[in-house]
Amino acid sequence: MASQFKVVLIFTMAVSSFLSSSVAQQTCSSYTFSNNKAFNSCTELPHLGASLYYTLAPSSDTINVAFKAPQSSDGWVAWGLNPKSTKMVGSQAIVAFFHSNGSMIAYPTQLDSYAPSMAPEDLSFPVSDMAAEYVKNEMIIYATLKLPGGSTKFNHVWQEGSSVANDVPQAHSTSGGNIESLGTIDFQ
């Protein structure tokens, strides 16, 4: 009797795990962008409710990305690669928010300390086609990146903050998902 219970329990856990991962994939892959952009791959990131969509162009070592995260119209979001470390410092990021003129903007910035300026700054690798939009309480960043060193595997970071002052994103929270929003990704 006890062994039957264990078999049922293991089976139930396996089915539950499969269904959970299927629902997560379905949520990510079923999203339709307002500009009809399409991406070959997507992943639900483990913190801040964020998702990353991408299409690799191996012949040119470029990646087209869309980073999407829940956010109020007063806040900001950012996503980036860190070619040298697993932490925030050293990341090459793209930040997006509502500019004081009312338009959504996206620009590159370097996170060179734990109190970066968040000012527009060239990255150590080419980035183009940057754009941002605000749809259904989510901010979305679009960009094309020339992958550093021709690699496809990177450390990446993502973030969100609740305020922007004088067109400068203000410091994000230093607890919970905000300090856990980092990982590795292989664009293959």
Side-chain angles (χ1 to χ4, degrees):
M1 189 84 154
S3 70
Q4 287 179 331
F5 176 75
K6 285 180 184 177
V7 169
V8 169
L9 180 62
I10 290 171
F11 177 75
T12 303
M13 288 172 58
V15 169
S16 175
S17 174
F18 173 76
L19 290 175
S20 294
S21 67
S22 294
V23 169
Q25 279 288 43
Q26 194 174 33
T27 301
C28 180
S29 64
S30 64
Y31 185 80
T32 303
F33 290 93
S34 65
N35 56 12
N36 293 319
K37 283 194 176 197
F39 298 89
N40 292 342
S41 302
C42 64
T43 185
E44 297 283 338
L45 300 174
H47 304 286
L48 305 178
S51 302
L52 183 66
Y53 300 77
Y54 56 92
T55 299
L56 176 66
S59 61
S60 61
D61 287 330
T62 59
I63 189 92
N64 294 318
V65 298
F67 169 78
K68 178 175 74 74
Q71 186 53 274
S72 73
S73 60
D74 295 330
W76 58 270
V77 299
W79 174 82
L81 299 179
N82 191 330
K84 298 179 181 176
S85 173
T86 60
K87 303 292 182 192
M88 179 188 97
V89 174
S91 292
Q92 312 280 305
I94 303 164
V95 63
F97 57 89
F98 273 103
H99 189 273
S100 59
N101 68 13
S103 67
M104 279 292 297
I105 63 167
Y107 61 79
T109 191
Q110 292 197 32
L111 307 178
D112 54 5
S113 73
Y114 284 107
S117 72
M118 300 299 283
E121 191 173 351
D122 288 340
L123 303 184
S124 64
F125 49 86
V127 60
S128 60
D129 303 324
M130 285 175 287
E133 67 177 339
Y134 190 67
V135 179
K136 297 180 183 175
N137 297 316
E138 291 182 311
M139 287 188 179
I140 304 169
I141 296 172
Y142 300 98
T144 300
L145 290 75
K146 175 83 170 167
L147 296 174
S151 181
T152 61
K153 188 173 184 179
F154 294 95
N155 299 308
H156 70 135
V157 297
W158 59 98
Q159 198 51 256
E160 62 87 27
S162 61
S163 65
V164 175
N166 299 316
D167 294 328
V168 177
Q170 300 301 292
H172 61 75
S173 172
T174 56
S175 65
N178 290 94
I179 59 169
E180 299 170 330
S181 297
L182 48 94
T184 59
I185 188 155
D186 192 341
F187 293 120
Q188 281 282 357

